[in-house]
Amino acid sequence: MKPPAASSHDVFLSFRGSDVRNTFVDHLYAALRRKRVRPFKDDVDLGRGESVREGISRAIEGSSFYVVVLTRNYASSAWCLDELVKIMRCSSGGGGKNTTFPIFYHLSPDDVSDVGCYYKDDFDRHKRRYTYERVDGWIQALAWVVGVAGWVVTNLQYVCT
């Protein structure tokens, strides 16, 4: 396995695309760029022909900060949950050196903790489809991210700056 290349990104954005890609995350990405912060967003920053899994893994490893946008459908995606496990491992709370900032988008941390009510059905499906070890890792990652101080976003008014 080759070592990760130096990243050209400061922040890795983890989110459920169908929930917030073309709304909240697009605005967040643009705001970060205006402040000269280099965010990684998969649909913009992955090279054509590049392995998505490898490109995202390298981007997580090469970023100093992570913004995890937790939405009602975040846990329905095994892909998002795998990203979260990798972020946890690279973050200071998981033994790494980097910092994670969770955003609870139209959710509260209580909705997420202990595989709260919004994620219960998703995890019931995951338990039938994936190994116990993989699902348990996802549950641990969600429990970890709930314990990280972040933001709860409920009502948004987009302001151009």
Side-chain angles (χ1 to χ4, degrees), residues 3-15:
S7 176
S8 60
H9 301 95
D10 301 310
V11 178
F12 180 87
L13 301 175
S14 177
F15 57 93

Side-chain angles (χ1 to χ4, degrees), residues 66 82 84-92 94-97 137 144:
Y66 312 107
D82 284 342
L84 186 60
V85 168
K86 179 115 179 138
I87 288 168
M88 178 181 71
R89 290 180 181 148
C90 293
S91 190
S92 58
K97 61 180 176 19
W144 165 77

Side-chain angles (χ1 to χ4, degrees), residues 11-17 20 24-25 28 40-42 56 60 65-71 74 77 79-87 100-103 145:
V11 178
F12 180 87
L13 301 175
S14 177
F15 57 93
R16 180 75 166 123
V20 289
F24 179 75
V25 170
L28 177 61
F40 176 91
K41 187 170 166 254
D42 59 354
I56 286 176
I60 291 171
F65 299 94
Y66 312 107
V67 174
V68 179
V69 183
L70 295 149
T71 56
Y74 187 89
S77 168
W79 193 278
C80 288
L81 294 168
D82 284 342
E83 281 182 9
L84 186 60
V85 168
K86 179 115 179 138
I87 288 168
T100 299
F101 301 100
I103 296 174
V145 80

